[in-house]
Amino acid sequence: MPNLRDIQKRINSVTSIKQITRTMEMVATAKIKRATDRIVAATPYATAMVDVLRNVSRRTTHSSSPLLSDHDEIKKIAVIVVVSDRGLAGGFNANVLRATDRFIRERKSEGVECELVTCGKKATAFFNYRKLPVALALRDRSADPMLEDARRISTYVIESYTEGKVDQVVIFYNHARNVADQVLTLEQVLPITQIDDYRPSRGTEDTVYHDESAKAAAAGAQEKMAEAIAAGESLVDEDTDDCNPFEYEPYAEAVLTSLLPAYIETRIFHALLDSAAGEQGARRKAMKSATDNATDMISILTRIYNRARQGAITTEITEIVGGAAALEED
């Protein structure tokens, strides 16, 4: 059994670690509010973007935008990986990195090459260690992403897709379902097959924007609209008098083509913001767990210390009594 000094040093060490983890938990809690506020602030623009695209699509009979066109054969995929720059966030990074690595190995077995775009130092280090080349790497902005980061990524993947360097673009990130839970998410960015109506979580438990039936109806309408756009069909009902208050210059197809890159940029920016909120939530949860474990460990070590101290006192008393008895016999 360790002596009393060793046990006391261990208690002091765990107490110091507990203070650090408790502080990190409080900091993460404060940052969650700011991260979710940024998502809420970005939501009106994203919603307006989708509304404009819907309105334009109603007057679009066909579109020649390459962003809506599938490539004949998928030979190369651009994979955007969004994680954090720092650790101490539980399985936040590991879940995304393992899923991405599995995705790349599965595509490789099918003869499809993957090109990596990483957001966060953990992803860059992970794939560099595995000798997988990273085409574009962003770092030091995972907790506070900026629109310029999303614009840089969207410009790169759009150019690669339109020039035929890649045939598909996907993104892996953690969606912040609420302040405690994150959901691993895989989305196809290019080609555009569905225009999503972004209504991100506000970072609170059980945030609901519309009921399930309305959500299903909206999703079905979006899918039909995207399919019609890709097929060059008009979404306007010729049998009804559809009065559109907007006029497009030079014409609706050109407006739609010019808006699609902004839509891709907005979509990537929301993924970065969503991941940033999830990072703080995961770190808060991990640090709370570490603080609770430290509290339990201190309790156990204190009991061990008291037991050892009591044993040492009992031994000393026994020795004193034994010595006194020996003196009396003499």
Side-chain angles (χ1 to χ4, degrees), residues 32 36-37 39-40 43 175-181 198-212 215 274:
I32 289 174
T36 52
D37 286 346
I39 295 177
V40 173
T43 299
H175 162 59
R177 183 167 60 185
N178 51 51
V179 295
D181 298 324
Y198 285 107
R199 298 187 183 276
S201 169
R202 297 177 181 270
T204 57
E205 296 285 346
D206 301 326
T207 302
V208 178
Y209 293 90
H210 39 245
D211 58 25
E212 293 300 324
K215 183 184 295 185
D274 206 353

Side-chain angles (χ1 to χ4, degrees), residues 5-80:
R5 179 175 296 179
D6 293 338
I7 299 175
Q8 187 61 54
K9 288 176 62 177
R10 184 73 183 280
I11 292 175
N12 294 338
S13 176
V14 175
T15 301
S16 299
I17 294 175
K18 177 183 175 180
Q19 292 174 348
I20 295 173
T21 57
R22 176 58 179 165
T23 302
M24 293 184 68
E25 178 189 348
M26 295 171 63
V27 171
T29 302
K31 288 184 176 180
I32 289 174
K33 179 64 168 59
R34 182 175 183 273
T36 52
D37 286 346
R38 293 193 65 192
I39 295 177
V40 173
T43 299
Y45 176 81
T47 303
M49 171 67 69
V50 173
D51 291 340
V52 171
L53 286 174
R54 284 176 172 172
N55 190 283
V56 175
S57 67
R58 293 191 183 99
R59 294 297 180 182
T60 303
T61 57
H62 68 277
S63 177
S64 59
S65 174
L67 302 182
L68 295 172
S69 304
D70 291 331
H71 290 186
D72 295 334
E73 185 180 359
I74 297 179
K75 298 180 179 179
K76 190 172 185 179
I77 300 175
V79 182
I80 306 172

Side-chain angles (χ1 to χ4, degrees), residues 11 14-15 18 293-303:
I11 292 175
V14 175
T15 301
K18 177 183 175 180
N293 291 338
T295 300
D296 294 340
M297 185 174 292
I298 291 173
S299 178
I300 294 173
L301 289 173
T302 301
R303 285 199 299 269

Side-chain angles (χ1 to χ4, degrees), residues 28-30 32 82 135 147-148 174 178 189 235 255 275 306 310:
T29 302
I32 289 174
V82 184
L147 184 60
E148 290 76 12
N174 278 311
N178 51 51
V189 179
L235 296 182
V255 174
S275 178
N306 292 336
Q310 184 178 7

